[in-house]
């Protein structure tokens, strides 16, 4: 293993990744190899991401699988959410899938924790659009056709049909994330809706 691979990335203290944190994660394929990305991997990755989301109470408003790396924006849905633990699970399960076809993720994921004014709604929407426009910047889709890229999506636990860049996608995203936070990702009754007796 090279010295470069042995160096550990500096991270913020653990509390920055807990609770209702917003974190932009980047997972890179070892040596930036290409050839692993296809529809079968996309659906397996969505399955893995769904399980992590439910287990660790995390929503993924946008993910983008590029030919040599993966972008994710995660938000915690409960005080108990811990994105560092969730990322370990996601990396392990993703590596299990990749190893079957001769690939592996780079040793560590990169992250950018959104802090202070970066967590304003318009700033989060800008980060989501930045991630979604990656294929456009790499020439994989024409300018302003980023929403047509087949390996970009939104994965909110319990809402498989959510589409950010169509219709009322943004409003639906914010309503759904607020609901999941109130209910701790379906673990407690919604305090805003008292059942009729």
């Amino acid at each position: 293993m090279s010295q470069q691979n042995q160096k550990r990335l500096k991270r913020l203290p653990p509390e920055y990744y807990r609770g209702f944190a917003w974190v932009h994660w980047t997972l890179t394929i070892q040596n930036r190899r290409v050839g692993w990305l296809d529809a079968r991997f996309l659906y397996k990755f969505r399955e893995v991401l769904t399980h992590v989301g439910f287990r660790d109470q995390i929503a993924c408003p946008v993910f983008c699988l590029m030919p040599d790396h993966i972008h994710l924006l995660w938000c915690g849905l409960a005080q108990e959410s811990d994105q560092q633990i969730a990322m370990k699970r996601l990396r392990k399960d993703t590596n299990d899938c990749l190893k079957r076809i001769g690939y592996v993720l780079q040793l560590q994921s990169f992250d950018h924790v959104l802090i202070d004014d970066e967590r304003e709604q318009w700033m989060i929407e800008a980060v989501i659009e930045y991630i979604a426009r990656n294929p456009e910047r790499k020439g994989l889709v024409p300018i302003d056709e980023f929403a047509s890229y087949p390996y970009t999506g939104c994965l909110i636990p319990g809402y498989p049909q959510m589409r950010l860049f169509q219709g009322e996608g943004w409003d639906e995203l914010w309503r759904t994330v607020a609901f999941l936070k109130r209910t701790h990702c379906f673990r407690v009754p919604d305090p805003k809706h008292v059942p009729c007796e």
Side-chain angles (χ1 to χ4, degrees):
M1 185 179 285
S2 71
Q3 281 186 333
Q4 182 180 9
N5 287 342
Q6 289 178 350
K7 292 180 184 175
R8 301 300 267 176
L9 295 174
K10 291 183 180 178
R11 300 246 187 250
L12 292 172
E15 58 270 17
Y16 282 83
Y17 302 88
R18 295 182 184 141
F20 301 109
W22 287 83
V23 184
H24 174 188
W25 295 94
T26 305
L27 292 72
T28 305
I29 302 297
Q30 185 71 37
N31 299 321
R32 295 249 180 207
R33 290 179 60 211
V34 298
W36 55 276
L37 182 56
D38 62 17
R40 290 174 300 173
F41 184 85
L42 168 66
Y43 289 106
K44 186 60 180 173
F45 181 77
R46 282 183 58 88
E47 177 186 336
V48 167
L49 187 56
T50 300
H51 288 295
V52 168
F54 268 111
R55 182 173 182 177
D56 294 295
Q57 300 181 71
I58 289 171
C60 183
V62 67
F63 66 85
C64 182
L65 281 63
M66 296 292 287
D68 62 358
H69 65 281
I70 299 168
H71 289 280
L72 306 141
L73 179 64
W74 278 359
C75 69
L77 298 172
Q79 286 291 353
E80 300 80 27
S81 300
D82 188 324
Q83 292 195 33
Q84 287 184 314
I85 290 172
M87 183 51 65
K88 286 178 187 175
R89 286 189 227 284
L90 182 81
R91 286 180 53 82
K92 179 192 177 304
D93 292 344
T94 301
N95 263 332
D96 287 348
C97 298
L98 286 169
K99 286 176 184 175
R100 293 180 187 151
I101 55 174
Y103 295 85
V104 68
L105 292 171
Q106 189 172 288
L107 182 63
Q108 284 184 279
S109 303
F110 293 91
D111 69 67
H112 174 78
V113 177
L114 277 60
I115 54 174
D116 302 328
D117 61 342
E118 291 179 306
R119 289 188 295 209
E120 299 278 340
Q121 183 174 322
W122 71 273
M123 284 291 291
I124 292 169
E125 289 177 5
V127 171
I128 290 171
E129 187 168 326
Y130 172 82
I131 291 170
R133 285 187 182 272
N134 259 277
E136 184 181 279
R137 288 191 295 276
K138 293 294 184 180
L140 301 174
V141 295
I143 300 297
D144 291 331
E145 295 292 323
F146 63 94
S148 68
Y149 184 66
Y151 304 112
T152 296
C154 172
L155 207 146
I156 309 296
Y159 296 85
Q161 302 306 320
M162 188 172 293
R163 302 289 179 266
L164 272 188
F165 304 106
Q166 297 176 8
E168 297 182 13
W170 290 115
D171 290 337
E172 187 179 1
L173 169 70
W174 294 111
R175 281 193 311 268
T176 304
V177 166
F179 167 74
L180 291 172
K181 285 180 178 180
R182 280 195 314 272
T183 63
H184 294 246
C185 200
F186 305 117
R187 287 179 166 85
V188 297
D190 186 356
K192 285 182 82 175
H193 297 91
V194 179
C196 297
E197 293 184 19

